[in-house]
Amino acid sequence: MNNYGTISTNPALARAQGLIDSEQYEQAAQLLVGYLRQNPNDHRALSKIGFCAMRLGALGQAEHFLRSAIARGARDFEARRNLAAVMSQQERPLEALPMFEQLAAESGDHSLKAIVAGLLEKTGRSDDARALYKELLEARADHPPLWLAYGHSLRSAGEVDQAIAAYRQAIAIDDEFGEAWWGIASIKRKVFDEADIAAMRQSLAIAIDPRNQAPLNFALARALHDRGEYEAAFRHYDEGNRIRAESLNYNAEELTQEVSEVERLVDAAYLSGLPKEALGESTPIFIVSLPRSGSTLLEQMLGSHPSIEPIGELPYIPAILRSFMEMATRRGEITVTEAIMQLPDQQAQAFGREYLRRAQWHRTTDRPFFIDKLPHNWSNILLIRRILPQARFIDIRRPAMDCCFSNFTQSFTSAHASSFALKDVGHSYVDNVRLMDHLQKVAPGMVHHVDYSALVADAQSELAPVMEYLGLPWDDALLQFHQLDRVVRTPSSEQVRRPLNRDGMEVWRPYSEWLDPLREVLGDLA
């Protein structure tokens, strides 16, 4: 019996399945390619090679093979689940949602229902997601990850006290569950008491899973920070980041080389020659910055304008880039910058329309502008300008030491891999400044720059030029941003519901004596 619920009697397919079971996906795929040359319509082989492609990250090929398998008669649960997973990994939640709903209805599997709830969140149906989490918790009240997901959903909706209660429910079931401790710690107010600190220390002493050890260290560090025990706090921040970094192979030089290539290849002539005719009726505003730079605050402010709709951090530009590069590299080695510069107009327009189609899933108004504030997009400006001629870009920059140290103290996922070492996050800041300086030199005014410190000190003076850049009239609602009622899914979700304050300024100073590695990289920017 194999993973697909059927007995495999074909020797070649049996060998391929053995390789899959031992996680040798490349070798299994090679064997299956040879088999499919002789048996191109064998849906079992197509399902297996689709699974291998998914595991290898070749999502476009995985989708092709799995759809081909289903079209040729594959009806087994696993093939359909794999296709749904590929849709989700490609950041196509509206397509993945009905697939997972069907699978969950057939199986009654609570883990699939939890995936449905997560997809409801992604598509903006937060109320439906919370209702489903509550339903699942009635059946699985002993499942900490469900309480965690429910807590995150509550927090993003501004129900902070209820979110804390959900996180504590998860901890009551499993006091080593680091992500629940971090869920509480990341709330921008002092929540932990002496008993919590003692419990975290005890849990950390016996935790053996790095997935618990890392967030436990970050949570304990935040609690110690609130007590003014900065040396002990730094040790735990450092340890949490070390554990996170161990599971990755992050190389800061790759980003540095990418920015250097943009500096070398992208000049004024290239950018001025790009198409200027808008796609569609709406204008996307991309807030392009490093994480922890004030982008959520700026989004909340601009989203208070009657002509602008804030719709959060959309994953679609990176997803489109990933699919594009999967296709581009099939023909041989090519860099991202080279591939973008060779992108035909027709394909660029197709990518732009696809982005706007996916962004529309999150829109609830017909306002002419909308905001996408995904931090990663600062390094994707060239692609965005190529596929969306009408796009507007706003860079918000926080002082280097504050920004970099704030990243270092945040329990990020691998999506923000540069944050796990002081030198790496410093290199990322330097590269960001280099890219923005180059674009300002070769395309003055393409990106509008906002100074975070100036924004906090005098919001109207800093926002008025933004309105001029966007071609919109001033509206006093921009200064009443904390009254805007919406879902916020970032670490700053509590801060943007309060009036302007200086809480995020000079946060690094108590840790100054341990930050020399960061200063060395930042140089004059420190």
Side-chain angles (χ1 to χ4, degrees):
M1 184 76 71
N2 61 28
N3 288 343
Y4 297 88
T6 60
I7 296 174
S8 178
T9 57
N10 183 291
L13 295 185
R15 287 197 301 275
Q17 187 60 48
L19 291 168
I20 290 171
D21 292 342
S22 59
E23 299 184 359
Q24 298 180 67
Y25 303 117
E26 191 78 54
Q27 296 91 323
Q30 291 172 2
L31 191 157
L32 289 163
V33 166
Y35 178 84
L36 283 165
R37 287 197 184 102
Q38 305 300 319
N39 306 275
N41 295 315
D42 190 321
H43 64 76
R44 299 167 301 170
L46 289 164
S47 289
K48 291 180 192 296
I49 198 171
F51 177 77
C52 292
M54 178 179 71
R55 289 291 183 157
L56 292 168
L59 301 180
Q61 293 181 61
E63 179 187 356
H64 167 73
F65 287 126
L66 290 166
R67 288 195 184 279
S68 296
I70 291 169
R72 287 162 175 76
R75 294 291 181 267
D76 56 279
F77 188 88
E78 200 65 26
R80 292 181 291 126
R81 190 193 191 287
N82 288 337
L83 180 59
V86 167
M87 294 294 100
S88 182
Q89 290 174 46
Q90 287 181 313
E91 301 297 351
R92 292 158 66 179
L94 270 190
E95 293 163 84
L97 180 57
M99 295 180 180
F100 276 112
E101 286 177 327
Q102 178 63 34
L103 293 165
E106 288 179 23
S107 65
D109 187 331
H110 286 89
S111 65
L112 292 176
K113 291 182 179 179
I115 292 173
V116 169
L119 290 169
L120 289 170
E121 284 275 11
K122 275 192 170 185
T123 54
R125 294 169 58 185
S126 299
D127 291 343
D128 292 336
R130 282 190 293 280
L132 182 52
Y133 282 131
K134 288 179 71 173
E135 175 190 319
L136 288 168
L137 284 165
E138 289 175 4
R140 294 289 308 278
D142 61 342
H143 195 54
L146 274 178
W147 283 109
L148 179 71
Y150 184 46
H152 290 341
S153 182
L154 289 165
R155 183 184 175 189
S156 67
E159 303 289 345
V160 177
D161 290 335
Q162 292 182 47
I164 292 171
Y167 295 142
R168 289 200 180 278
Q169 285 281 4
I171 292 166
I173 300 164
D174 179 5
D175 58 11
E176 293 180 40
F177 191 30
E179 291 296 346
W181 284 110
W182 174 249
I184 299 173
S186 63
I187 290 169
K188 299 299 188 289
R189 70 186 198 207
K190 295 179 181 179
V191 178
F192 290 133
D193 57 23
E194 294 292 332
D196 290 323
I197 293 173
M200 280 189 281
R201 282 181 164 142
Q202 183 177 350
S203 296
L204 195 53
I206 61 175
I208 59 173
D209 188 338
R211 292 170 297 181
N212 285 328
Q213 290 173 324
L216 268 168
N217 270 290
F218 280 104
L220 183 53
R222 185 65 58 84
L224 294 170
H225 169 89
D226 288 342
R227 295 208 310 185
E229 298 181 25
Y230 300 121
E231 183 175 1
F234 184 82
R235 283 201 307 271
H236 285 288
Y237 282 133
D238 197 43
E239 179 65 7
N241 279 299
R242 185 194 65 77
I243 294 168
R244 286 265 198 255
E246 273 187 352
S247 63
L248 302 172
N249 189 27
Y250 179 74
N251 181 3
E253 185 60 27
E254 292 178 2
L255 179 59
T256 298
Q257 291 175 358
E258 185 176 329
V259 173
S260 295
E261 186 175 47
V262 172
E263 289 177 319
R264 187 173 69 255
L265 298 180
V266 178
D267 56 17
Y270 171 75
L271 288 172
S272 64
L274 291 177
K276 297 177 176 59
E277 185 177 350
L279 287 178
E281 301 296 322
S282 58
T283 300
I285 302 168
F286 292 89
I287 298 180
V288 287
S289 67
L290 292 174
R292 315 301 297 138
S293 291
S295 59
T296 304
L297 172 64
L298 181 59
E299 179 199 32
Q300 188 84 347
M301 288 176 153
L302 297 180
S304 300
H305 193 284
S307 293
I308 303 174
E309 181 178 5
I311 57 176
E313 299 181 357
L314 305 185
Y316 305 129
I317 290 294
I320 289 169
L321 177 61
R322 184 172 60 238
S323 296
F324 169 48
M325 290 306 295
E326 183 183 333
M327 293 185 290
T329 53
R330 288 181 199 170
R331 298 186 291 271
E333 280 192 21
I334 189 169
T335 67
V336 171
T337 305
E338 290 170 339
I340 293 169
M341 295 181 75
Q342 296 174 23
L343 185 60
D345 286 348
Q346 186 175 1
Q347 191 175 11
Q349 291 171 8
F351 286 152
R353 291 192 185 94
E354 177 63 11
Y355 170 82
L356 293 172
R357 183 183 75 85
R358 298 192 199 185
Q360 189 63 36
W361 300 339
H362 302 264
R363 303 207 57 189
T364 59
T365 75
D366 59 357
R367 295 178 184 183
F369 292 81
F370 69 88
I371 300 173
D372 178 346
K373 65 166 290 288
L374 186 74
H376 303 298
N377 282 334
W378 75 264
S379 61
N380 295 329
I381 291 176
L382 186 62
L383 173 67
I384 297 169
R385 174 61 187 86
R386 181 69 183 90
I387 70 174
L388 291 164
Q390 75 270 37
R392 297 291 181 266
F393 304 97
I394 303 175
D395 161 49
I396 181 167
R397 187 175 302 170
R398 188 177 175 189
M401 293 296 287
D402 269 338
C403 178
C404 293
F405 183 68
S406 183
N407 273 271
F408 185 73
T409 62
Q410 192 73 27
S411 182
F412 280 128
T413 66
S414 60
H416 298 291
S418 67
S419 70
F420 302 146
L422 289 171
K423 286 186 176 182
D424 288 345
V425 72
H427 279 298
S428 182
Y429 192 97
V430 171
D431 289 335
N432 173 272
V433 172
R434 287 174 55 220
L435 180 62
M436 295 303 165
D437 287 351
H438 177 71
L439 293 176
Q440 182 62 21
K441 182 176 70 174
V442 299
M446 186 177 87
V447 180
H448 183 84
H449 302 280
V450 171
D451 183 293
Y452 174 81
S453 300
L455 181 68
V456 172
D458 184 354
Q460 185 162 351
S461 294
E462 197 68 9
L463 289 174
V466 178
M467 292 297 102
E468 292 178 19
Y469 168 73
L470 297 174
L472 291 173
W474 175 264
D475 193 293
D476 286 340
L478 291 163
L479 304 179
Q480 304 302 317
F481 64 91
H482 53 284
Q483 297 177 6
L484 186 63
D485 182 20
R486 69 184 185 94
V487 170
V488 182
R489 297 186 182 88
T490 76
S492 302
S493 57
E494 288 81 43
Q495 288 173 301
V496 298
R497 293 187 170 98
R498 295 186 290 142
L500 275 178
N501 59 79
R502 296 179 58 82
D503 288 355
M505 309 291 284
E506 303 284 297
V507 294
W508 62 273
R509 286 209 175 272
Y511 301 88
S512 179
E513 63 184 288
W514 304 291
L515 302 182
D516 284 347
L518 177 59
R519 288 191 191 87
E520 290 172 10
V521 172
L522 290 174
D524 293 341
L525 293 171

